[in-house]
Amino acid sequence: APAGCSRDEIIISAVLPKKFKISGYEAYEKRGEEYEHNKDANFKLIDNTLTLYAKDVQGAAFKLWIQDISSASSIYRDVSDSLEQFSEISISQTETETKIMMPMDNVFDSGKASAKPLGKKWLKALVDAISDKNFKEIRVEGHTDNTPIKGIYPSNWELSTARASDAVRFMIAQGLDSSKIAAVGYADTRPVADNNSKENKAKNRRIEITIVGNAAAEENEKPVAAAQ
């Protein structure tokens, strides 16, 4: 370390009131006079307390994104409460929709279209959260990366559609109204990241579930920062 600089363990915590939901966070490490992004930081999120643990650094900081859910729809609140135990799932809302994004690799085996036990656990938790809600429709979308597949499916189009359909069948079996749910496969046509690395390809392999509500929910999201 440079003269006069100590490199110790740093712990930073942010505790938010229940009216807010933490929807994202990033860590930064101090290098000289600047803070640089640290993608390998050790975070722990429990309820509404986010804690960053950093070792052997000159300084650390994190940025977090929060949503004011005090005026959010009951669908969004109940879905968030039900699925927050699964850290891999991301949930967001717009004025009229609640969107759930599930990593495909956690829900289905490679090249397969039958949900794994973990995937079924996620889908059941979602159905339990919305079974008594008044919504217009649910769209279940299958998305893949751009890697050609080999097996029983001719292409990623058929695979993504089969996966979405499997999820829909399971949700209907759990009691969801079949007249309000649809399945669609987009293959690799709607990526959320460039297909130029294993990490980005994994991001593109996903199940997206959009719940269209009958009442508007207002989204107020803003980034805040904490540093030491």
Side-chain angles (χ1 to χ4, degrees):
C5 293
S6 63
R7 300 177 71 84
D8 301 316
E9 183 177 34
I10 296 175
I11 301 174
I12 310 172
S13 290
V15 182
L16 274 68
K18 287 295 185 181
K19 67 174 289 187
F20 296 108
K21 176 179 174 61
I22 298 173
S23 57
Y25 42 85
E26 293 179 348
Y28 297 85
E29 177 184 339
K30 188 175 183 181
R31 297 181 181 177
E33 297 300 319
E34 303 293 332
Y35 280 89
E36 298 183 11
H37 183 230
N38 181 1
K39 65 179 181 179
D40 299 318
N42 183 13
F43 277 103
K44 182 176 289 187
L45 178 60
I46 301 177
D47 294 328
N48 260 28
T49 300
L50 179 68
T51 304
L52 167 66
Y53 300 89
K55 281 188 175 181
D56 196 30
V57 295
Q58 297 177 27
F62 68 73
K63 177 188 291 184
L64 62 93
W65 282 260
I66 63 173
Q67 291 177 290
D68 181 352
I69 61 173
S70 58
S71 61
S73 69
S74 61
I75 291 176
Y76 177 80
R77 287 197 301 268
D78 287 358
V79 168
S80 295
D81 289 344
S82 179
L83 300 182
E84 67 178 0
Q85 59 182 306
F86 309 117
S87 60
E88 300 94 335
I89 299 176
S90 64
I91 307 163
S92 60
Q93 68 167 347
T94 65
E95 187 172 321
T96 58
E97 298 179 345
T98 296
K99 178 171 288 188
I100 302 98
M101 187 179 298
M102 300 180 177
M104 186 72 76
D105 296 350
N106 294 75
V107 183
F108 296 97
D109 285 321
S110 178
K112 302 294 180 62
S114 180
K116 298 192 291 188
L118 178 59
K120 291 179 179 179
K121 184 177 181 180
W122 286 359
L123 292 170
K124 186 178 187 309
L126 174 59
V127 173
D128 289 345
I130 62 175
S131 59
D132 62 343
K133 299 301 177 186
N134 183 20
F135 54 86
K136 289 183 179 179
E137 65 175 356
I138 296 178
R139 299 190 300 271
V140 180
E141 303 173 1
H143 299 267
T144 70
D145 60 27
N146 65 347
T147 304
I149 65 168
K150 297 179 181 180
I152 63 173
Y153 297 100
S155 73
N156 281 321
W157 284 105
E158 288 81 3
L159 176 61
S160 62
T161 303
R163 285 172 164 173
S165 298
D166 182 82
V168 164
R169 286 194 298 271
F170 179 81
M171 294 169 74
I172 292 173
Q174 299 303 307
L176 209 61
D177 186 348
S178 61
S179 68
K180 290 186 175 184
I181 188 168
V184 61
Y186 285 108
D188 64 340
T189 61
R190 298 190 178 187
V192 294
D194 292 332
N195 285 291
N196 56 5
S197 68
K198 290 183 178 180
E199 292 77 11
N200 283 351
K201 285 177 179 287
K203 292 178 182 178
N204 290 328
R205 297 191 298 269
R206 67 197 191 277
I207 287 286
E208 288 191 12
I209 301 172
T210 302
I211 305 169
V212 182
N214 282 322
E218 188 174 328
E219 179 182 55
N220 297 298
E221 183 168 322
K222 58 183 178 181
V224 298
Q228 179 172 333

